PDB file of all heavy atoms in Angstrom:
ATOM      1  N   ALA A 788      25.383-101.165  24.740  1.00 98.00           N
ATOM      2  CA  ALA A 788      26.085-102.272  24.084  1.00 98.00           C
ATOM      3  C   ALA A 788      27.034-101.757  23.014  1.00 98.00           C
ATOM      4  O   ALA A 788      26.920-100.625  22.544  1.00 98.00           O
ATOM      5  CB  ALA A 788      25.067-103.231  23.452  1.00 98.00           C
ATOM      6  N   GLY A 789      27.959-102.625  22.607  1.00 98.00           N
ATOM      7  CA  GLY A 789      28.810-102.289  21.479  1.00 98.00           C
ATOM      8  C   GLY A 789      30.241-102.745  21.655  1.00 98.00           C
ATOM      9  O   GLY A 789      30.580-103.536  22.535  1.00 98.00           O
ATOM     10  N   ASP A 790      31.087-102.206  20.778  1.00 98.00           N
ATOM     11  CA  ASP A 790      32.525-102.430  20.827  1.00 98.00           C
ATOM     12  C   ASP A 790      33.134-101.254  21.580  1.00 98.00           C
ATOM     13  O   ASP A 790      33.313-100.174  21.023  1.00 98.00           O
ATOM     14  CB  ASP A 790      33.086-102.528  19.404  1.00 98.00           C
ATOM     15  CG  ASP A 790      34.597-102.691  19.360  1.00 98.00           C
ATOM     16  OD1 ASP A 790      35.233-102.723  20.433  1.00 98.00           O
ATOM     17  OD2 ASP A 790      35.156-102.753  18.245  1.00 98.00           O
ATOM     18  N   PHE A 791      33.462-101.486  22.848  1.00 98.00           N
ATOM     19  CA  PHE A 791      33.998-100.432  23.702  1.00 98.00           C
ATOM     20  C   PHE A 791      35.500-100.271  23.526  1.00 98.00           C
ATOM     21  O   PHE A 791      36.074 -99.300  24.008  1.00 98.00           O
ATOM     22  CB  PHE A 791      33.684-100.734  25.167  1.00 98.00           C
ATOM     23  CG  PHE A 791      32.230-100.595  25.528  1.00 98.00           C
ATOM     24  CD1 PHE A 791      31.289-101.515  25.083  1.00 98.00           C
ATOM     25  CD2 PHE A 791      31.791 -99.543  26.313  1.00 98.00           C
ATOM     26  CE1 PHE A 791      29.944-101.404  25.410  1.00 98.00           C
ATOM     27  CE2 PHE A 791      30.446 -99.406  26.647  1.00 98.00           C
ATOM     28  CZ  PHE A 791      29.521-100.342  26.192  1.00 98.00           C
ATOM     29  N   ASN A 792      36.147-101.247  22.885  1.00 97.00           N
ATOM     30  CA  ASN A 792      37.606-101.249  22.736  1.00 97.00           C
ATOM     31  C   ASN A 792      38.312-101.133  24.080  1.00 97.00           C
ATOM     32  O   ASN A 792      39.437-100.626  24.156  1.00 97.00           O
ATOM     33  CB  ASN A 792      38.060-100.144  21.778  1.00 97.00           C
ATOM     34  CG  ASN A 792      38.248-100.658  20.362  1.00 97.00           C
ATOM     35  OD1 ASN A 792      38.904-101.673  20.149  1.00 97.00           O
ATOM     36  ND2 ASN A 792      37.664 -99.974  19.398  1.00 97.00           N
ATOM     37  N   LEU A 793      37.669-101.615  25.137  1.00 97.00           N
ATOM     38  CA  LEU A 793      38.230-101.565  26.487  1.00 97.00           C
ATOM     39  C   LEU A 793      37.938-102.869  27.209  1.00 97.00           C
ATOM     40  O   LEU A 793      36.795-103.350  27.204  1.00 97.00           O
ATOM     41  CB  LEU A 793      37.621-100.416  27.299  1.00 97.00           C
ATOM     42  CG  LEU A 793      37.923 -98.979  26.870  1.00 97.00           C
ATOM     43  CD1 LEU A 793      37.050 -98.007  27.640  1.00 97.00           C
ATOM     44  CD2 LEU A 793      39.400 -98.656  27.075  1.00 97.00           C
ATOM     45  N   PHE A 794      38.963-103.435  27.832  1.00 97.00           N
ATOM     46  CA  PHE A 794      38.748-104.537  28.751  1.00 97.00           C
ATOM     47  C   PHE A 794      38.178-103.989  30.064  1.00 97.00           C
ATOM     48  O   PHE A 794      38.251-102.791  30.342  1.00 97.00           O
ATOM     49  CB  PHE A 794      40.051-105.279  29.002  1.00 97.00           C
ATOM     50  CG  PHE A 794      40.557-106.034  27.797  1.00 97.00           C
ATOM     51  CD1 PHE A 794      41.559-105.502  26.998  1.00 97.00           C
ATOM     52  CD2 PHE A 794      40.004-107.264  27.466  1.00 97.00           C
ATOM     53  CE1 PHE A 794      42.020-106.199  25.886  1.00 97.00           C
ATOM     54  CE2 PHE A 794      40.459-107.966  26.346  1.00 97.00           C
ATOM     55  CZ  PHE A 794      41.465-107.426  25.554  1.00 97.00           C
ATOM     56  N   ALA A 795      37.649-104.878  30.881  1.00 97.00           N
ATOM     57  CA  ALA A 795      36.968-104.468  32.109  1.00 97.00           C
ATOM     58  C   ALA A 795      37.846-103.582  32.988  1.00 97.00           C
ATOM     59  O   ALA A 795      37.367-102.619  33.600  1.00 97.00           O
ATOM     60  CB  ALA A 795      36.513-105.703  32.881  1.00 97.00           C
ATOM     61  N   ARG A 796      39.137-103.891  33.047  1.00 96.00           N
ATOM     62  CA  ARG A 796      40.032-103.138  33.943  1.00 96.00           C
ATOM     63  C   ARG A 796      40.163-101.673  33.547  1.00 96.00           C
ATOM     64  O   ARG A 796      40.560-100.838  34.374  1.00 96.00           O
ATOM     65  CB  ARG A 796      41.418-103.792  33.974  1.00 96.00           C
ATOM     66  CG  ARG A 796      42.159-103.775  32.643  1.00 96.00           C
ATOM     67  CD  ARG A 796      43.504-104.473  32.724  1.00 96.00           C
ATOM     68  NE  ARG A 796      44.213-104.485  31.445  1.00 96.00           N
ATOM     69  CZ  ARG A 796      44.047-105.426  30.519  1.00 96.00           C
ATOM     70  NH1 ARG A 796      43.195-106.416  30.739  1.00 96.00           N
ATOM     71  NH2 ARG A 796      44.725-105.386  29.383  1.00 96.00           N
ATOM     72  N   ASN A 797      39.873-101.343  32.278  1.00 97.00           N
ATOM     73  CA  ASN A 797      40.032 -99.966  31.813  1.00 97.00           C
ATOM     74  C   ASN A 797      38.704 -99.226  31.628  1.00 97.00           C
ATOM     75  O   ASN A 797      38.711 -98.045  31.262  1.00 97.00           O
ATOM     76  CB  ASN A 797      40.790 -99.953  30.481  1.00 97.00           C
ATOM     77  CG  ASN A 797      42.229-100.397  30.631  1.00 97.00           C
ATOM     78  OD1 ASN A 797      42.897-100.055  31.608  1.00 97.00           O
ATOM     79  ND2 ASN A 797      42.719-101.169  29.680  1.00 97.00           N
ATOM     80  N   LEU A 798      37.596 -99.911  31.853  1.00 98.00           N
ATOM     81  CA  LEU A 798      36.298 -99.261  31.717  1.00 98.00           C
ATOM     82  C   LEU A 798      36.081 -98.245  32.839  1.00 98.00           C
ATOM     83  O   LEU A 798      36.527 -98.458  33.976  1.00 98.00           O
ATOM     84  CB  LEU A 798      35.180-100.302  31.769  1.00 98.00           C
ATOM     85  CG  LEU A 798      34.961-101.144  30.513  1.00 98.00           C
ATOM     86  CD1 LEU A 798      34.124-102.366  30.858  1.00 98.00           C
ATOM     87  CD2 LEU A 798      34.271-100.317  29.423  1.00 98.00           C
ATOM     88  N   PRO A 799      35.380 -97.157  32.556  1.00 97.00           N
ATOM     89  CA  PRO A 799      34.999 -96.263  33.651  1.00 97.00           C
ATOM     90  C   PRO A 799      33.940 -96.922  34.520  1.00 97.00           C
ATOM     91  O   PRO A 799      33.324 -97.923  34.123  1.00 97.00           O
ATOM     92  CB  PRO A 799      34.429 -95.042  32.915  1.00 97.00           C
ATOM     93  CG  PRO A 799      33.909 -95.598  31.638  1.00 97.00           C
ATOM     94  CD  PRO A 799      34.849 -96.716  31.254  1.00 97.00           C
ATOM     95  N   GLU A 800      33.713 -96.395  35.686  1.00 95.00           N
ATOM     96  CA  GLU A 800      32.669 -96.931  36.558  1.00 95.00           C
ATOM     97  C   GLU A 800      31.308 -96.720  35.910  1.00 95.00           C
ATOM     98  O   GLU A 800      31.008 -95.636  35.407  1.00 95.00           O
ATOM     99  CB  GLU A 800      32.720 -96.250  37.930  1.00 95.00           C
ATOM    100  CG  GLU A 800      33.923 -96.650  38.765  1.00 95.00           C
ATOM    101  CD  GLU A 800      33.803 -96.143  40.195  1.00 95.00           C
ATOM    102  OE1 GLU A 800      32.669 -95.884  40.641  1.00 95.00           O
ATOM    103  OE2 GLU A 800      34.850 -96.018  40.861  1.00 95.00           O
ATOM    104  N   LEU A 801      30.502 -97.770  35.935  1.00 97.00           N
ATOM    105  CA  LEU A 801      29.150 -97.716  35.375  1.00 97.00           C
ATOM    106  C   LEU A 801      28.183 -98.203  36.447  1.00 97.00           C
ATOM    107  O   LEU A 801      27.707 -99.342  36.417  1.00 97.00           O
ATOM    108  CB  LEU A 801      29.068 -98.588  34.115  1.00 97.00           C
ATOM    109  CG  LEU A 801      30.023 -98.219  32.963  1.00 97.00           C
ATOM    110  CD1 LEU A 801      29.948 -99.259  31.852  1.00 97.00           C
ATOM    111  CD2 LEU A 801      29.682 -96.828  32.411  1.00 97.00           C
TER     112      LEU A 801
END
Side-chain angles (χ1 to χ4, degrees):
D790 177 0
F791 290 71
N792 264 311
L793 293 170
F794 291 100
R796 64 182 179 273
N797 293 321
L798 284 164
E800 289 190 23
L801 301 173

